[in-house]
Amino acid sequence: MAKELLEGNAAIAEAAIRAGLEAFFGYPITPQTEVLEVLSGRLLEEGRVFLQAESEIASINMVYGSACTGTRVMTSSSSPGISLMQEGLSYIACSEVPAVVINVMRGGPGLGNIQPSQGDYFQAVKGAGHGDFHSIVLAPATVQECIDLVTLAFDLADKYRTICMVVADGNIGQIMEPAELPPFRPVRTAAEKAQLSWALTGAHDRRHRVITSLYLGAEKLEAVNLRLQAKLRRIEQNEVRYKEYETDGADLLLVAFGTVGRICQTVTRQARAEGIRVGLLRPVTLWPFPSARIAELAPQVKQILVVEMNAGQMVEDVRLAVAGRTPVDFYGRLGGIVPFPDEILSQVRAFAPQTEPGATK
Amino acid sequence: MAKELLEGNAAIAEAAIRAGLEAFFGYPITPQTEVLEVLSGRLLEEGRVFLQAESEIASINMVYGSACTGTRVMTSSSSPGISLMQEGLSYIACSEVPAVVINVMRGGPGLGNIQPSQGDYFQAVKGAGHGDFHSIVLAPATVQECIDLVTLAFDLADKYRTICMVVADGNIGQIMEPAELPPFRPVRTAAEKAQLSWALTGAHDRRHRVITSLYLGAEKLEAVNLRLQAKLRRIEQNEVRYKEYETDGADLLLVAFGTVGRICQTVTRQARAEGIRVGLLRPVTLWPFPSARIAELAPQVKQILVVEMNAGQMVEDVRLAVAGRTPVDFYGRLGGIVPFPDEILSQVRAFAPQTEPGATK
Amino acid sequence: MAKELLEGNAAIAEAAIRAGLEAFFGYPITPQTEVLEVLSGRLLEEGRVFLQAESEIASINMVYGSACTGTRVMTSSSSPGISLMQEGLSYIACSEVPAVVINVMRGGPGLGNIQPSQGDYFQAVKGAGHGDFHSIVLAPATVQECIDLVTLAFDLADKYRTICMVVADGNIGQIMEPAELPPFRPVRTAAEKAQLSWALTGAHDRRHRVITSLYLGAEKLEAVNLRLQAKLRRIEQNEVRYKEYETDGADLLLVAFGTVGRICQTVTRQARAEGIRVGLLRPVTLWPFPSARIAELAPQVKQILVVEMNAGQMVEDVRLAVAGRTPVDFYGRLGGIVPFPDEILSQVRAFAPQTEPGATK
Amino acid sequence: MAKELLEGNAAIAEAAIRAGLEAFFGYPITPQTEVLEVLSGRLLEEGRVFLQAESEIASINMVYGSACTGTRVMTSSSSPGISLMQEGLSYIACSEVPAVVINVMRGGPGLGNIQPSQGDYFQAVKGAGHGDFHSIVLAPATVQECIDLVTLAFDLADKYRTICMVVADGNIGQIMEPAELPPFRPVRTAAEKAQLSWALTGAHDRRHRVITSLYLGAEKLEAVNLRLQAKLRRIEQNEVRYKEYETDGADLLLVAFGTVGRICQTVTRQARAEGIRVGLLRPVTLWPFPSARIAELAPQVKQILVVEMNAGQMVEDVRLAVAGRTPVDFYGRLGGIVPFPDEILSQVRAFAPQTEPGATK
């Protein structure tokens, strides 16, 4: 298929449809409203289900119910709306049903504003709801990655019967870039759903199944948690994804994700042009985090600089990976401000003065 | 005042009243329902406000509104109910009004069960709502600490105009112990409220004030965030609290909070009696975390063992503090199971074999 | 099609599907839960939409939204649930979109009980929501009428772009009787919806349409109301339906609807057998009410007795029709009690002593 | 106390406070928002409870709960908001607890507009919620009556343990007139509440009480209903209130309530000045309706003309009272239009041509 010019939010919507999304439940909130807008038209065209619920709480609980039936299902919101879904997310996680959640993050806390932000990193990777669980968290940096990671999100959600969250921001959601959409996958048929070992598809010729997150006995709930934790370990082993740029022989390692990760690619190129030995690691999975690779790189560099559009959240996961072996510093902008390459570059220059005089690659 | 026999949840309620709690909004959920039950009677006796709202979302937004008027206000819930409050918490944090929140944690994720748990550590200290903020988080280990920390919670909430969360569990909430209640402080009078520089007390003889979490301009919202972050730094500097037991000359440092922290005190005593050089650091503030003290102790011990009633959450903050200087291990029970001293002790024996021969039990 | 043994609630559900019901939104409440139960399975089999909303308020607003698109839509509930829909019903009425609402009435007021009742007559025919409007209200007395009137309800709702309510009670809902189902009508196709002059089907090749109940100018809102009233007059002229039994030469006219109407048929037969000249008029449309026919019959009889399973509601409409020309009396049972034929018969005997000695038809 | 210039909505609020209103729960909606606005300030000044709930449904259920404790309680809304309260009203009615409800009616149906209307007559007097009950309904026509009838509403609600609704419209709510407020009555003390035979005041030294609207047995629920109906009959006997103007020797009897009732006073004066023998009966209680007095007047006049700001609702109650003895006609305006005296006068002239020749003042 040829590339076409696509807006990030529209690309997310269309990619979901092509990945076999059968039912969407959501509530509009800037800066992700285009996801709903596109889906409200396209899903009906495809004869599938689009429902604007009366709130984010209704949405996530409809996602939960729908997921239980083996339906490929998604919701989408932005920061405050995702906060409203925390109880439902925890129920889904414990019930081990697949669901895809999009968070097009905006400036916070509170109502904040509708500018791009990465302020919900902690919520996404650590504390999405009460109890012990993690969602798989994917962070696209381009419109093409929006498409690819939404597709992947459905696959991983199905594979691990887990929540897979895609965290974008208003910047990625609203830029337009050439990108290629994958071919259409059909929605899951009734027969295919009936083959699923766990889905509630009507107990016509088999025993009833129960999907629940309630386990009154402590022993039973511990067993459920141990199974959940074992699954999380498998995910950590198999699903770490990241991109590296110029990390070979770097003195300074930048670590950044999403929109800032992309800006740091520019910064890396510019810094290298100035002769500064900079590399970039851009996590694509925020959970599981590429800790092993960062641990590996840490002793090879003199300094690590984490750049985020928040007050410093992913930097904790970097520090955990580095475990004191290399200094880790942080540069961030807040309130919906996207840092310019120049301001990051001047941070880079301060940290890693030009080490190869005259170097212009 | 003399000691009396008090149940943890009842102590939380009565301590709140004596700290000047003027209005409570909440919704019943096991295992914290006794907090509501006691307050529903006692607040009315005192001529104050008790309101059982129609949901946790209603509760936290009433807390928000009430806090804006300079009223000392509190809500209380357990894990799923606290998840439902995440949006409201983020609004309160950004609006910088004081509020006290009690979370009597239960087994999760999802509905889980009603047994004691520490599974909401991450949610409380990292990701309580979207955006960049932290609540002050206090973790009592005894009924007396329930009283003292609830009292402190109101003071810190007022001092920093912030959310102060007290995280207990069903165990602390329901044990009975002798404890001493403080004297009564009066509720804030209308005149005192009128003195508050920020509260909405009626703009009779002054300009209108606005309390909001909405700042559409990115520059403005960044400024708000920088002020918030500066406040968080002040809290980190001034408000770290923890307890130490036998840390002098310890080979193995236990780190544990709340109910398990208390059990680890017993374990420490027993291990010392066996001649094992064990010490215990019990964080009282989970945020700000006693990272500096742990960093200080880390090189003095051979091993650190973090014990939690979850799958390993606080252990990350310990590792961040230790930064690779000492091995950090973890032991946890899940699903609402409270570990017995014996099982922790056998962990301790495995890590730190008896180092003082002849030690008399 | 041959007759089969059907339960009233199931018959309502299946008749709705055969009438072309495309989407159902509802919330379970005894004694109408079987309607949802059957639809939840059958609609999915037919590839249509069944959604259990989070409340009756959500349900009726989804009905409203769905109706705006030209979709044949229905909700179903019982007394308290219908009260929760009053705002939504008023919005739908003003917006002039077709919707079918089933009320399987239970004992009231309040939670009351789950026994059969006719206590919502006033609400259905007079005050369903604020403002000036009437729904068409149909009252089946048999399982066959459940089928026929649900089918009719969809036709009338479409024809007049109005709410058509079917009021049954737990008795009709749960009895089993032989009845014949009509053939399947297809759901409205997208092309057929696009032909509707008012529906929101996507303004691809035409000007946008607006469906609203908000008309800020008083002149405009009066014009809307005059159009509504003119429509109500047309309905009154064309859609009155009732059944008569033995009214020729009757001295005593019974008027009763639904379950009691059916019991009064037995009473009429028994009374006639005793030589009492009793006739029965059973309104099938409660609104529009068969006032003209009652006015016509009034001077021909000596006495009218209205029998209801409530404290006397339809009796007002009978009195309005009679306008003083004949004495109108009332007999009713309350609280979910269905009167026995014998007790009505003794009322009949008291009012109209045997006038044909020895008469045994 | 001297007269002062008061706005209708403000007068309602202040009268409620002086009548001993202890707690108000409501949600803003034009054209009654001033009631909330005044109460939000005044109730706090008086140390009582004002709570803006999250919806009208929350409001009416808080009213229900609060009323159960013997607290004098009120809510206030406008047409769509009152529709949302129908379930709660039915619960309160069955539970027989006193509550005052203000409906400042606006143009309907649906969202309609915010102009004055009388479109909720049916809802108020017939079908306020499911099941068999009536609220007492009072209709003020002046600011002074707003005060007097709100005061009376609390007395009647208490006396009969019933809902007492005051139906005004935006016109009465927003005009300013001189009126006299009554002296302050204290709120009910805890000791006085404890004396109430039914209130839930804490079962310290007596058996527990239960307030419910759930009576699963049909016999029991019928007994409850018979008690309710007996109470309604007592109210009908004792509490009918109306005003008459020039009814002696009238040929044409106008019947009108509230704002139109007041306009019809002007019309009556003008018509009399023209020599037309017109009288006016203005119902002050819409339920119980002054049927007996209208029945008495009916044969004395040649014609009755009912004037309403709706499509003809109270006219049914007039016709029921008249029972065919006199022609009853109707004149109404819709959509929030308040009829001018002149247009009613020309109706009057058409009906009752000048009967006293020479009379032109």
Side-chain angles (χ1 to χ4, degrees):
Chain A
M1 231 169 253
K3 290 204 177 187
E4 49 191 307
L5 203 59
L6 287 167
E7 189 215 35
N9 280 335
I12 287 171
E14 187 62 30
I17 287 173
R18 293 180 182 223
L21 172 67
E22 187 178 346
F24 177 91
F25 306 92
Y27 192 81
I29 177 172
T30 305
Q32 69 79 50
T33 301
E34 295 87 354
V35 177
L36 272 87
E37 196 187 357
V38 172
L39 286 175
S40 70
R42 287 283 294 119
L43 280 170
L44 293 200
E45 279 174 30
E46 301 286 336
R48 307 183 194 174
V49 176
F50 172 89
L51 193 138
Q52 180 177 322
E54 73 188 77
S55 71
E56 287 85 355
I57 296 162
S59 304
I60 194 66
N61 284 296
M62 288 177 178
V63 163
Y64 181 17
S66 191
C68 289
T69 67
T71 299
R72 277 204 197 90
V73 67
M74 181 171 103
T75 189
S76 173
S77 189
S78 178
S79 309
I82 298 291
S83 283
L84 284 166
M85 296 183 184
Q86 299 296 304
E87 188 207 27
L89 290 173
S90 184
Y91 287 16
I92 293 172
C94 188
S95 302
E96 295 189 81
V97 291
V100 173
V101 177
I102 311 293
N103 181 4
V104 183
M105 296 181 284
R106 55 188 258 181
L111 282 169
N113 61 23
I114 57 174
Q115 307 301 321
S117 168
Q118 300 181 327
D120 308 346
Y121 178 92
F122 271 150
Q123 192 187 54
V125 308
K126 307 279 180 196
H130 59 284
D132 287 286
F133 73 95
H134 291 282
S135 304
I136 296 177
V137 184
L138 307 175
T142 64
V143 171
Q144 187 63 55
E145 275 191 357
C146 285
I147 294 166
D148 299 344
L149 295 182
V150 164
T151 310
L152 179 63
F154 281 94
D155 290 341
L156 294 178
D158 276 350
K159 181 173 178 188
Y160 295 101
R161 289 172 46 198
T162 189
I163 301 163
C164 193
M165 193 178 279
V166 179
V167 292
D169 60 58
N171 197 57
I172 304 171
Q174 274 146 5
I175 50 170
M176 294 197 80
E177 291 182 334
E180 190 177 341
L181 286 161
F184 281 87
R185 293 187 210 168
V187 299
R188 199 174 268 151
T189 64
E192 285 166 339
K193 289 177 188 175
Q195 294 301 316
L196 297 169
S197 63
W198 51 270
L200 305 184
T201 55
H204 299 303
D205 48 4
R206 55 165 173 79
R207 290 192 52 196
H208 278 77
R209 289 171 185 155
V210 173
I211 296 182
T212 185
S213 71
L214 182 72
Y215 297 93
L216 286 178
E219 313 270 305
K220 179 66 187 145
L221 186 57
E222 185 171 60
V224 167
N225 268 283
L226 292 174
R227 193 181 66 216
L228 273 173
Q229 292 297 321
K231 177 169 80 176
L232 296 178
R233 295 299 87 72
R234 282 202 307 280
I235 297 173
E236 285 179 325
Q237 274 186 311
N238 300 326
E239 305 300 347
V240 171
R241 283 166 174 84
Y242 54 88
K243 301 264 172 161
E244 276 184 45
Y245 307 89
E246 311 270 7
T247 49
D248 278 357
D251 290 331
L252 172 67
L253 177 67
L254 295 174
V255 185
F257 74 95
T259 288
V260 191
R262 179 179 183 155
I263 294 168
C264 284
Q265 247 180 284
T266 307
V267 171
T268 301
R269 209 164 40 234
Q270 291 176 342
R272 283 281 177 179
E274 292 185 17
I276 308 173
R277 286 204 293 261
V278 174
L280 165 67
L281 185 141
R282 175 163 69 79
V284 170
T285 49
L286 301 186
W287 196 94
F289 194 69
S291 306
R293 180 59 184 151
I294 290 174
E296 204 170 30
L297 288 172
Q300 303 171 22
V301 300
K302 295 180 180 149
Q303 174 78 33
I304 295 174
L305 175 64
V306 178
V307 190
E308 302 181 63
M309 279 150 57
N310 59 36
Q313 301 190 10
M314 183 178 67
V315 65
E316 284 200 3
D317 282 327
V318 174
R319 287 200 173 110
L320 276 169
V322 169
R325 276 163 292 189
T326 316
V328 177
D329 223 303
F330 173 74
Y331 180 72
R333 292 304 299 268
L334 291 157
I337 291 181
V338 182
F340 285 106
D342 274 4
E343 65 183 292
I344 302 175
L345 191 55
S346 53
Q347 297 292 321
V348 164
R349 287 194 197 106
F351 277 111
Q354 187 174 330
T355 40
E356 298 170 38
T360 48
K361 279 209 190 178
Chain B
M1 232 169 251
K3 290 204 176 186
E4 48 191 306
L5 203 59
L6 286 168
E7 188 217 35
N9 280 335
I12 287 172
E14 186 62 30
I17 288 173
R18 293 181 182 221
L21 172 67
E22 188 178 346
F24 176 92
F25 306 92
Y27 192 81
I29 178 172
T30 305
Q32 67 81 49
T33 302
E34 295 87 354
V35 177
L36 271 88
E37 196 186 358
V38 172
L39 286 174
S40 69
R42 286 283 293 118
L43 280 171
L44 294 200
E45 278 173 31
E46 301 286 336
R48 308 183 196 174
V49 175
F50 171 89
L51 193 137
Q52 181 178 321
E54 73 189 78
S55 70
E56 288 85 356
I57 296 163
S59 304
I60 194 66
N61 283 295
M62 288 177 179
V63 164
Y64 180 18
S66 189
C68 289
T69 67
T71 299
R72 276 202 198 93
V73 67
M74 182 171 103
T75 188
S76 174
S77 190
S78 178
S79 310
I82 297 290
S83 283
L84 283 167
M85 296 182 184
Q86 299 296 305
E87 188 205 29
L89 290 173
S90 184
Y91 287 17
I92 293 172
C94 188
S95 301
E96 295 190 81
V97 292
V100 173
V101 176
I102 311 293
N103 182 3
V104 183
M105 296 181 283
R106 56 188 257 181
L111 282 170
N113 60 23
I114 57 173
Q115 306 301 320
S117 169
Q118 299 181 327
D120 307 347
Y121 178 93
F122 272 149
Q123 191 185 55
V125 308
K126 306 279 180 197
H130 58 283
D132 286 286
F133 73 94
H134 291 283
S135 304
I136 298 176
V137 183
L138 307 176
T142 63
V143 172
Q144 186 63 55
E145 275 191 359
C146 284
I147 294 166
D148 298 344
L149 295 182
V150 164
T151 310
L152 178 65
F154 281 94
D155 289 341
L156 294 179
D158 277 351
K159 181 173 178 189
Y160 294 102
R161 289 171 47 196
T162 189
I163 301 162
C164 194
M165 191 177 281
V166 178
V167 292
D169 59 60
N171 198 56
I172 303 172
Q174 274 148 3
I175 48 170
M176 294 199 78
E177 293 183 332
E180 190 177 341
L181 287 160
F184 281 87
R185 294 187 210 166
V187 298
R188 200 174 267 151
T189 63
E192 285 166 339
K193 291 177 187 175
Q195 295 301 316
L196 297 168
S197 63
W198 51 271
L200 305 184
T201 54
H204 300 303
D205 48 4
R206 55 165 173 80
R207 291 192 51 196
H208 278 76
R209 289 171 187 157
V210 173
I211 295 182
T212 185
S213 71
L214 182 72
Y215 297 93
L216 286 178
E219 314 270 306
K220 179 66 187 148
L221 185 58
E222 184 171 61
V224 167
N225 268 285
L226 292 174
R227 193 181 66 216
L228 273 172
Q229 292 296 322
K231 178 169 81 177
L232 295 178
R233 296 299 87 72
R234 280 201 309 281
I235 297 173
E236 286 180 324
Q237 274 187 311
N238 301 326
E239 306 299 348
V240 172
R241 283 165 174 84
Y242 54 87
K243 300 265 171 159
E244 276 183 46
Y245 308 88
E246 311 271 5
T247 49
D248 277 359
D251 290 329
L252 172 66
L253 177 67
L254 294 175
V255 185
F257 74 95
T259 287
V260 190
R262 179 178 183 158
I263 293 167
C264 284
Q265 245 179 287
T266 306
V267 171
T268 302
R269 209 164 40 234
Q270 291 176 341
R272 283 281 177 179
E274 294 184 15
I276 308 172
R277 286 204 292 260
V278 175
L280 166 66
L281 185 140
R282 176 163 69 79
V284 170
T285 50
L286 302 186
W287 197 95
F289 193 70
S291 307
R293 179 59 184 150
I294 290 174
E296 205 170 31
L297 289 171
Q300 304 171 21
V301 301
K302 294 178 182 151
Q303 175 78 32
I304 295 173
L305 175 64
V306 179
V307 190
E308 302 182 63
M309 278 150 56
N310 60 36
Q313 301 190 9
M314 183 178 68
V315 65
E316 285 201 3
D317 283 327
V318 173
R319 288 201 173 108
L320 276 168
V322 169
R325 276 163 292 189
T326 316
V328 177
D329 222 304
F330 172 73
Y331 180 72
R333 291 305 300 269
L334 291 157
I337 292 182
V338 182
F340 285 105
D342 273 3
E343 65 182 292
I344 303 175
L345 192 55
S346 53
Q347 296 292 323
V348 164
R349 287 194 196 107
F351 278 111
Q354 187 175 328
T355 42
E356 298 170 39
T360 51
K361 284 205 187 182
Chain C
M1 232 168 250
K3 290 205 176 185
E4 48 190 307
L5 203 59
L6 286 167
E7 189 216 36
N9 281 334
I12 288 171
E14 186 62 31
I17 287 173
R18 294 183 180 219
L21 172 68
E22 188 178 346
F24 176 93
F25 306 92
Y27 192 81
I29 176 172
T30 305
Q32 68 81 50
T33 302
E34 295 87 354
V35 177
L36 272 87
E37 196 186 358
V38 172
L39 287 174
S40 69
R42 286 284 293 120
L43 280 170
L44 294 199
E45 278 173 31
E46 301 285 336
R48 310 183 194 174
V49 175
F50 172 89
L51 193 138
Q52 181 178 322
E54 74 188 77
S55 70
E56 287 85 356
I57 296 164
S59 304
I60 194 65
N61 284 295
M62 288 176 178
V63 163
Y64 180 18
S66 190
C68 289
T69 67
T71 300
R72 276 203 198 90
V73 67
M74 182 171 102
T75 189
S76 174
S77 190
S78 178
S79 310
I82 298 290
S83 283
L84 284 166
M85 296 183 184
Q86 300 295 305
E87 188 206 28
L89 289 174
S90 184
Y91 287 16
I92 293 172
C94 189
S95 301
E96 294 189 80
V97 292
V100 173
V101 176
I102 311 293
N103 181 4
V104 183
M105 296 181 283
R106 56 188 257 181
L111 283 169
N113 61 23
I114 58 173
Q115 306 301 320
S117 168
Q118 300 182 327
D120 308 347
Y121 178 91
F122 271 150
Q123 192 186 54
V125 307
K126 307 278 179 197
H130 58 282
D132 286 286
F133 73 94
H134 291 283
S135 304
I136 297 176
V137 183
L138 307 176
T142 63
V143 172
Q144 187 62 55
E145 275 191 0
C146 284
I147 293 166
D148 298 345
L149 295 182
V150 164
T151 310
L152 179 64
F154 281 93
D155 290 340
L156 294 179
D158 276 351
K159 180 173 177 187
Y160 295 102
R161 289 171 47 196
T162 188
I163 301 163
C164 193
M165 192 178 280
V166 178
V167 292
D169 59 59
N171 197 57
I172 304 172
Q174 275 148 2
I175 49 170
M176 294 198 79
E177 293 181 332
E180 191 177 340
L181 287 161
F184 281 87
R185 293 186 210 167
V187 299
R188 199 174 267 150
T189 63
E192 286 166 339
K193 290 178 188 174
Q195 295 302 316
L196 297 169
S197 63
W198 51 271
L200 306 184
T201 54
H204 300 302
D205 48 5
R206 56 165 173 79
R207 292 191 49 196
H208 278 76
R209 290 173 187 153
V210 173
I211 295 182
T212 185
S213 71
L214 183 72
Y215 297 94
L216 285 179
E219 314 269 307
K220 180 65 187 148
L221 185 57
E222 185 171 60
V224 168
N225 268 284
L226 292 174
R227 194 181 65 217
L228 273 172
Q229 292 295 323
K231 178 169 80 176
L232 295 178
R233 295 300 87 73
R234 281 201 308 281
I235 297 174
E236 285 179 325
Q237 275 187 311
N238 301 326
E239 306 300 347
V240 172
R241 280 165 175 84
Y242 55 87
K243 301 263 172 161
E244 277 182 46
Y245 308 88
E246 311 271 5
T247 47
D248 278 357
D251 290 331
L252 172 66
L253 177 67
L254 295 175
V255 185
F257 75 95
T259 288
V260 190
R262 179 178 182 156
I263 294 167
C264 284
Q265 245 178 288
T266 306
V267 171
T268 301
R269 210 164 39 234
Q270 291 176 340
R272 283 279 176 179
E274 294 184 14
I276 308 173
R277 287 204 292 259
V278 175
L280 166 65
L281 185 141
R282 176 162 69 79
V284 170
T285 50
L286 302 186
W287 197 96
F289 193 70
S291 306
R293 180 58 185 152
I294 290 174
E296 206 169 29
L297 288 172
Q300 304 171 21
V301 301
K302 294 179 181 150
Q303 173 79 33
I304 295 173
L305 176 64
V306 179
V307 190
E308 301 181 63
M309 278 150 57
N310 59 37
Q313 301 190 7
M314 183 178 68
V315 65
E316 285 201 2
D317 283 327
V318 174
R319 287 201 174 109
L320 276 169
V322 169
R325 274 163 292 187
T326 316
V328 178
D329 222 304
F330 172 74
Y331 180 72
R333 292 305 299 268
L334 292 157
I337 291 181
V338 182
F340 285 105
D342 274 4
E343 65 182 292
I344 303 176
L345 191 56
S346 51
Q347 297 292 321
V348 164
R349 288 193 197 108
F351 277 112
Q354 187 176 330
T355 39
E356 299 169 38
T360 49
K361 279 207 189 178
Chain D
M1 232 168 253
K3 291 204 177 186
E4 49 191 307
L5 204 58
L6 286 167
E7 189 216 34
N9 281 335
I12 287 171
E14 186 62 31
I17 288 173
R18 293 182 180 221
L21 172 67
E22 188 178 346
F24 177 92
F25 306 92
Y27 192 81
I29 177 172
T30 305
Q32 67 80 51
T33 302
E34 295 87 353
V35 177
L36 271 88
E37 196 186 359
V38 172
L39 286 175
S40 70
R42 286 286 291 121
L43 279 171
L44 294 200
E45 279 174 29
E46 301 286 336
R48 307 182 196 174
V49 175
F50 172 90
L51 192 137
Q52 182 178 322
E54 74 188 76
S55 71
E56 287 85 355
I57 296 163
S59 304
I60 194 67
N61 284 295
M62 289 177 178
V63 163
Y64 180 18
S66 191
C68 289
T69 67
T71 299
R72 275 204 197 91
V73 67
M74 182 170 102
T75 189
S76 174
S77 189
S78 179
S79 310
I82 297 291
S83 283
L84 284 166
M85 296 182 184
Q86 299 296 305
E87 188 206 28
L89 289 174
S90 184
Y91 286 17
I92 293 171
C94 188
S95 301
E96 295 189 80
V97 292
V100 173
V101 176
I102 310 293
N103 182 3
V104 184
M105 296 181 285
R106 56 189 257 181
L111 282 169
N113 62 23
I114 58 174
Q115 306 302 320
S117 169
Q118 300 182 327
D120 307 349
Y121 178 92
F122 271 149
Q123 192 185 55
V125 307
K126 307 278 180 197
H130 58 283
D132 286 287
F133 74 94
H134 291 282
S135 304
I136 297 176
V137 183
L138 307 176
T142 64
V143 172
Q144 186 64 54
E145 275 190 359
C146 285
I147 294 166
D148 299 344
L149 294 183
V150 164
T151 310
L152 178 64
F154 282 94
D155 289 341
L156 294 179
D158 277 351
K159 181 173 177 187
Y160 295 101
R161 288 171 47 197
T162 190
I163 301 163
C164 194
M165 192 177 281
V166 178
V167 291
D169 59 58
N171 198 56
I172 303 172
Q174 273 148 4
I175 49 170
M176 294 198 78
E177 293 181 333
E180 191 176 339
L181 286 161
F184 281 87
R185 293 187 211 167
V187 298
R188 199 174 269 151
T189 63
E192 286 166 338
K193 289 177 188 175
Q195 294 301 316
L196 297 169
S197 63
W198 50 271
L200 306 184
T201 55
H204 300 302
D205 47 5
R206 56 164 172 81
R207 292 190 51 196
H208 278 77
R209 288 171 187 157
V210 173
I211 294 182
T212 185
S213 71
L214 182 72
Y215 297 94
L216 286 179
E219 314 270 306
K220 180 67 188 147
L221 185 58
E222 185 171 60
V224 167
N225 268 284
L226 292 174
R227 195 181 64 218
L228 274 172
Q229 293 296 322
K231 177 168 81 175
L232 295 178
R233 295 299 88 72
R234 281 201 308 281
I235 297 173
E236 286 179 325
Q237 275 187 311
N238 301 326
E239 305 300 346
V240 171
R241 282 165 175 83
Y242 55 87
K243 300 264 172 161
E244 276 183 46
Y245 308 88
E246 311 270 6
T247 48
D248 278 357
D251 290 330
L252 172 66
L253 177 67
L254 295 175
V255 185
F257 74 94
T259 287
V260 191
R262 179 178 182 157
I263 293 167
C264 283
Q265 246 179 286
T266 306
V267 172
T268 301
R269 211 164 38 234
Q270 291 175 342
R272 283 279 176 177
E274 294 186 14
I276 307 173
R277 286 204 293 260
V278 175
L280 166 65
L281 185 141
R282 176 162 69 78
V284 170
T285 49
L286 302 186
W287 197 94
F289 194 68
S291 306
R293 180 57 184 152
I294 290 173
E296 205 170 30
L297 288 172
Q300 303 171 23
V301 301
K302 294 178 182 150
Q303 174 79 32
I304 294 172
L305 176 64
V306 178
V307 190
E308 302 181 63
M309 279 150 57
N310 59 37
Q313 300 191 8
M314 183 178 66
V315 65
E316 285 201 3
D317 283 328
V318 174
R319 286 200 175 110
L320 276 169
V322 168
R325 275 163 293 187
T326 316
V328 177
D329 223 305
F330 173 73
Y331 180 71
R333 291 304 300 269
L334 291 157
I337 291 182
V338 181
F340 285 105
D342 274 3
E343 66 183 291
I344 302 175
L345 192 55
S346 52
Q347 296 292 321
V348 164
R349 287 193 197 107
F351 278 110
Q354 186 174 328
T355 41
E356 298 171 35
T360 47
K361 280 208 189 178

